[in-house]
Amino acid sequence: MKARVGVLALQGAFAAHELTLAGLGVETAQVRTPSDLAAVDALIMPGGESTTMSRLLETSGLFDELKGRLSDGMPVFGTCAGMILLATDVLDGRPDQRSFGAIDITVQRNGYGRQVDSFETDIDVDGFVAPFHAVFIRAPKVVAVGAGVNVVASHDGVPVLALQGHVMVASFHPELTADNRLHAMFCELIGS
Amino acid sequence: MTANVKGTVQVKRGLAEMLKGGVIMDVVTPEQAKIAEDAGACAVMALERVPADIRRDGGVARMSDPEMIEGIKAMVTIPVMAKARIGHFVEAQILQALGVDYVDESEVLTPADETHHIDKYAFTVPFVCGATNLGEALRRISEGACLIRSKGEAGTGNIVEAVRHLRNIIGDIRKITQADSAELFQWAKQLQAPLPLVQEIAETGWLQVPLFCAGGIATPADAALAMQLGAEAVFVGSGIFKSDDPSPRAKAIVEATTHFRDADILAKVSRGLGAPMTGIGMDEINQRYAERGW
């Protein structure tokens, strides 16, 4: 059976993720409600504002449903704000901001600074021959990583792409460039 | 190891991508910024007076006091935008030095230059500009704008102009995708826009940068209307803090922008919000801000 990949569409760069997945021939669906979530096999949590998404996860009734799916092992890929929402600990977040604790990392919101400090650069990803061009937008910084987490790429000694079981996170935006290798990597994770 | 490159078109347009599906709220104090963030705003626009007050007070409207912008920056963790006058590149330089996340070269402030807009390529900070039609949008993009908002008529609480401008822009995009290559030359001439940008639209079917809606949104239904017409996010100016009860209205507009096609949710969030801003009809105003911009 071919997997249907949901893209959390409460706020943020969900459309760009859908385009990238469509380019890989993957069936996608936007997820805004619990019934949308029930109809997908895996989920991408995009970049955007984590505080906005956190609030909308509560009001839409998605938070508890998604927490349940994550503990059942649904594959998930969080980029930027999505990574913040999946982390165990968030620094500089809002006091009422809840995260799912699905991957054992600590992230600092806006750890790379404000928009004038946003940047693009090439990074080396384990298993990729050519470097991956990564765009960092007001990006969160990974400040601690648990023992069970596999760091797949680092930049300036800081982890920027990591895996733990069915959870994959990136502090940058693979959906903003034409390179779809990380989305393909996530599709492999879904298949395994 | 490759160096980090800042201020590229990719990086600037990237932040606009992150704001999609969200609500950017006008705020004039750090307290209002906090209310906006608590309500789920994806960014705030820091300014001295909301457009409804600028309209009432008259006089010259300028960039806000840096102290006020810094107060707002210190209060919230979401992106902070601020307005510079059309053509006033020094105000923009100051805003960049203050570390704001987006500069709005805005017709709501009194223009500083009646011929030229700011050369936005000269900046690391990204710019958003208003447009009433596709030609204006493409001229702003050719100057380096990384986000376009339909202008609407700020400070009126009346959605009619925003609808007109969105329909203008998106309607012409649809027509261009149907045009043959010879007709594209005529489109470029008619729109007074660079041909390569027109050709790119014919190919991709959309603007080079995200298109948001501004100017006149006062209710959750207004926000959902803009989204269903094709806007990718909304700016709400006077509509929130000129209403009776800003916080619940702000929350409702955030939910309406996310669930813009779900009438059941729209009906639910539209209840019991108190009075919206009174608003004014287009025949009652003597200054149309949308006419500013060249």
Side-chain angles (χ1 to χ4, degrees):
Chain A
M1 195 193 73
K2 234 177 141 185
R4 194 160 182 248
V5 180
V7 181
L8 189 67
L10 296 172
Q11 192 272 320
F14 50 89
H17 275 292
E18 276 193 293
L19 270 177
T20 308
L21 288 170
L24 288 165
V26 176
E27 189 193 346
T28 66
Q30 296 187 353
V31 173
R32 291 185 175 86
T33 63
S35 60
D36 294 339
L37 181 66
V40 299
D41 307 302
L43 188 70
I44 288 187
M45 296 169 67
E49 275 311 307
S50 61
T51 52
T52 304
M53 284 188 230
S54 175
R55 206 193 126 67
L56 288 162
L57 280 166
E58 300 283 350
T59 55
S60 63
L62 266 174
F63 191 93
D64 292 331
E65 300 284 330
L66 183 47
K67 186 141 181 94
R69 289 293 300 275
L70 288 171
S71 52
D72 293 344
M74 177 182 66
V76 64
F77 181 18
T79 58
C80 196
M83 174 171 94
I84 296 173
L85 291 170
L86 289 168
T88 27
D89 287 298
V90 180
L91 307 179
D92 299 339
R94 287 168 48 86
D96 61 347
Q97 189 171 348
R98 287 168 76 190
S99 59
F100 292 102
I103 183 165
D104 188 11
I105 56 172
T106 302
V107 297
Q108 183 188 8
R109 277 191 71 210
N110 304 332
Y112 288 93
R114 304 189 70 93
Q115 175 60 16
V116 287
D117 304 308
S118 294
F119 62 96
E120 49 185 294
T121 191
D122 283 339
I123 58 168
D124 290 318
V125 178
D126 285 357
F128 287 4
V129 178
F132 193 93
H133 193 68
V135 183
F136 292 77
I137 311 276
R138 286 172 51 96
K141 196 175 234 173
V142 176
V143 292
V145 175
V149 177
N150 175 19
V151 174
V152 191
S154 294
H155 177 61
D156 288 344
V158 178
V160 293
L161 179 65
L163 273 166
Q164 185 175 24
H166 58 101
V167 182
M168 177 172 163
V169 293
S171 46
F172 55 93
H173 294 283
E175 78 283 8
L176 293 183
T177 50
D179 193 338
N180 58 21
R181 285 178 294 168
L182 289 184
H183 287 79
M185 185 194 267
F186 179 56
C187 291
E188 270 174 44
L189 185 74
I190 298 169
S192 64
Chain B
M1 169 111 22
T2 356
N4 297 348
V5 190
K6 298 179 185 178
T8 60
V9 166
Q10 176 105 278
V11 163
K12 290 172 169 180
R13 289 183 185 174
L15 181 56
E17 288 291 326
M18 299 310 133
L19 299 172
K20 281 185 178 176
V23 182
I24 300 142
M25 301 182 191
D26 276 4
V27 297
V28 300
T29 62
E31 293 67 37
Q32 286 188 355
K34 188 83 183 77
I35 292 171
E37 186 181 58
D38 289 348
C42 68
V44 291
M45 175 77 70
L47 70 177
E48 218 140 67
R49 290 174 289 169
V50 293
D53 290 336
I54 294 174
R55 197 173 277 290
R56 188 198 59 208
D57 299 347
V60 175
R62 311 177 179 90
M63 177 190 83
S64 300
D65 185 331
E67 204 171 286
M68 191 276 277
I69 293 169
E70 288 193 318
I72 287 170
K73 271 178 58 202
M75 181 60 89
V76 295
T77 62
I78 55 179
V80 175
M81 304 186 174
K83 289 182 193 288
R85 282 178 267 179
I86 289 173
H88 205 316
F89 49 86
V90 175
E91 284 188 347
Q93 289 164 4
I94 292 169
L95 292 174
Q96 175 167 287
L98 291 171
V100 306
D101 297 293
Y102 242 92
V103 173
D104 184 2
E105 187 183 15
S106 177
E107 70 283 1
V108 171
L109 305 184
T110 311
D113 189 322
E114 293 191 325
T115 314
H116 308 94
H117 282 253
I118 297 171
D119 169 13
K120 293 163 271 287
Y121 283 110
F123 290 81
T124 305
V125 67
F127 280 74
V128 50
C129 288
T132 58
N133 57 53
L134 184 58
E136 202 176 354
L138 292 179
R139 288 195 293 280
R140 298 297 85 80
I141 292 169
S142 73
E143 296 155 2
C146 290
L147 171 60
I148 295 294
R149 53 173 175 76
S150 55
K151 281 181 181 170
E153 196 51 52
T156 61
N158 189 338
I159 195 71
V160 65
E161 293 300 303
V163 169
R164 185 195 319 281
H165 300 158
L166 276 177
R167 283 197 182 278
N168 273 349
I169 295 168
I170 296 169
D172 276 354
I173 290 175
R174 280 197 203 102
K175 286 180 211 152
I176 284 174
T177 59
Q178 302 299 312
D180 72 15
S181 56
E183 289 167 333
L184 294 180
F185 294 99
Q186 172 58 25
W187 270 106
K189 195 164 73 179
Q190 183 190 320
L191 293 172
Q192 295 180 279
L195 178 66
L197 294 185
V198 174
Q199 289 167 326
E200 211 177 323
I201 285 178
E203 221 167 274
T204 65
W206 195 239
L207 279 185
Q208 288 77 1
V209 305
L211 173 64
F212 294 1
C213 175
I217 292 171
T219 68
D222 289 346
L225 175 66
M227 295 294 288
Q228 286 198 29
L229 282 169
E232 298 175 287
V234 298
F235 286 83
V236 185
S238 319
I240 289 170
F241 290 101
K242 283 287 165 190
S243 72
D244 270 5
D245 198 355
S247 175
R249 180 164 298 269
K251 288 175 184 161
I253 291 177
V254 167
E255 287 193 55
T257 304
T258 291
H259 302 285
F260 66 95
R261 286 191 201 282
D262 191 328
D264 291 329
I265 294 180
L266 295 176
K268 195 180 100 196
V269 304
S270 298
R271 281 163 208 260
L273 298 178
M277 70 179 284
T278 312
I280 31 183
M282 287 310 124
D283 46 4
E284 300 168 63
I285 60 175
N286 43 26
Q287 170 71 65
R288 289 208 176 206
Y289 295 150
E291 289 169 359
R292 296 166 167 175
W294 1 100

